[in-house]
């Protein structure tokens, strides 16, 4: 899987933004998988964030990425388009979220932990860079991967 390699300053920015996504993930309602997503505009301002709320809302579409996109389009000022924005999420997006990312025209996606079962940014399938994709954002994975994976491991361990 070919993921974009950030510059040193780009890597530091991605780590800083991922740290914010990890903080957001820690606020996930009890019973939901702790995933945090944050959307930043081109100037670096946080537009919105979201967490998984599928169990809380009884809504299969209430993934962190979709929740963040829904909030961000309300404040970004370009209708449904998030052009110039970056999504930072603690877990590799699934196919549904990758479709929402394309539809919202996010410029870039940064994720923490890879998801080998359902990851749609290169692990299982690659929705965002598939031939004929209507829009192709830049994708960087594995940013603070261990920290992101640790939150998930702790959650699933608590269920056992």
């Amino acid at each position: 899987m070919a993921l974009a390699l950030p510059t040193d300053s780009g890597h530091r920015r991605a780590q800083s933004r991922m740290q914010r996504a990890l903080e957001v993930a820690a606020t996930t309602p009890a019973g939901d998988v702790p995933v945090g997503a944050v959307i930043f505009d081109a100037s670096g301002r946080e537009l919105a964030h979201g967490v998984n709320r599928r169990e809380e809302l009884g809504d299969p579409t209430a993934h962190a990425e979709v929740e963040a996109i829904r909030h961000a389009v309300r404040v970004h000022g370009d209708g449904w388009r998030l052009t110039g924005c970056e999504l930072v999420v603690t877990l590799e997006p699934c196919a549904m979220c990758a479709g929402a990312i394309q539809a919202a025209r996010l410029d870039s996606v940064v994720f923490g932990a890879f998801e080998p079962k359902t990851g749609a940014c290169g692990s299982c399938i690659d929705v965002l860079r598939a031939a004929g994709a209507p829009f192709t954002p830049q994708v960087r994975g594995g940013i603070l991967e261990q920290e992101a994976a640790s939150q998930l491991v702790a959650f699933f361990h608590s269920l056992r």
Side-chain angles (χ1 to χ4, degrees):
M1 124 189 38
L3 295 175
L5 299 174
T7 63
D8 284 345
S9 63
H11 189 69
R12 283 190 300 274
R13 182 181 69 231
Q15 286 181 321
S16 174
R17 290 179 177 185
M18 184 59 68
Q19 189 59 51
R20 173 64 181 134
L22 289 165
E23 292 168 4
V24 169
T27 70
T28 301
D32 274 297
V33 178
V35 176
V38 183
I39 297 178
F40 298 90
D41 69 12
S43 71
R45 177 177 64 112
E46 182 178 324
L47 292 178
H49 61 268
V51 296
N52 274 348
R53 298 176 62 201
R54 292 184 312 170
E55 298 298 329
E56 179 187 57
L57 298 178
D59 180 352
T61 69
H63 288 204
E65 301 93 326
V66 173
E67 293 287 299
I69 289 168
R70 287 176 179 155
H71 296 297
V73 296
R74 292 185 196 122
V75 298
H76 184 55
D78 190 16
W80 51 266
R81 293 169 191 83
L82 293 173
T83 306
C85 296
E86 177 172 76
L87 169 72
V88 180
V89 60
T90 57
L91 182 64
E92 180 180 1
C94 69
M96 176 187 71
C97 292
I101 289 163
Q102 282 182 330
R105 303 297 193 260
L106 282 149
D107 281 5
S108 63
V109 176
V110 174
F111 67 86
F114 289 86
E115 173 45 276
K117 294 179 182 175
T118 62
C121 296
S123 287
C124 182
I125 59 175
D126 198 344
V127 170
L128 295 178
R129 292 168 293 200
F135 182 80
T136 306
Q138 180 183 34
V139 177
R140 291 177 280 171
I143 304 297
L144 298 184
E145 181 178 7
Q146 294 293 48
E147 293 88 334
S150 292
Q151 280 186 329
L152 297 163
V153 168
F155 170 78
F156 286 110
H157 187 298
S158 74
L159 297 179
R160 293 184 176 96

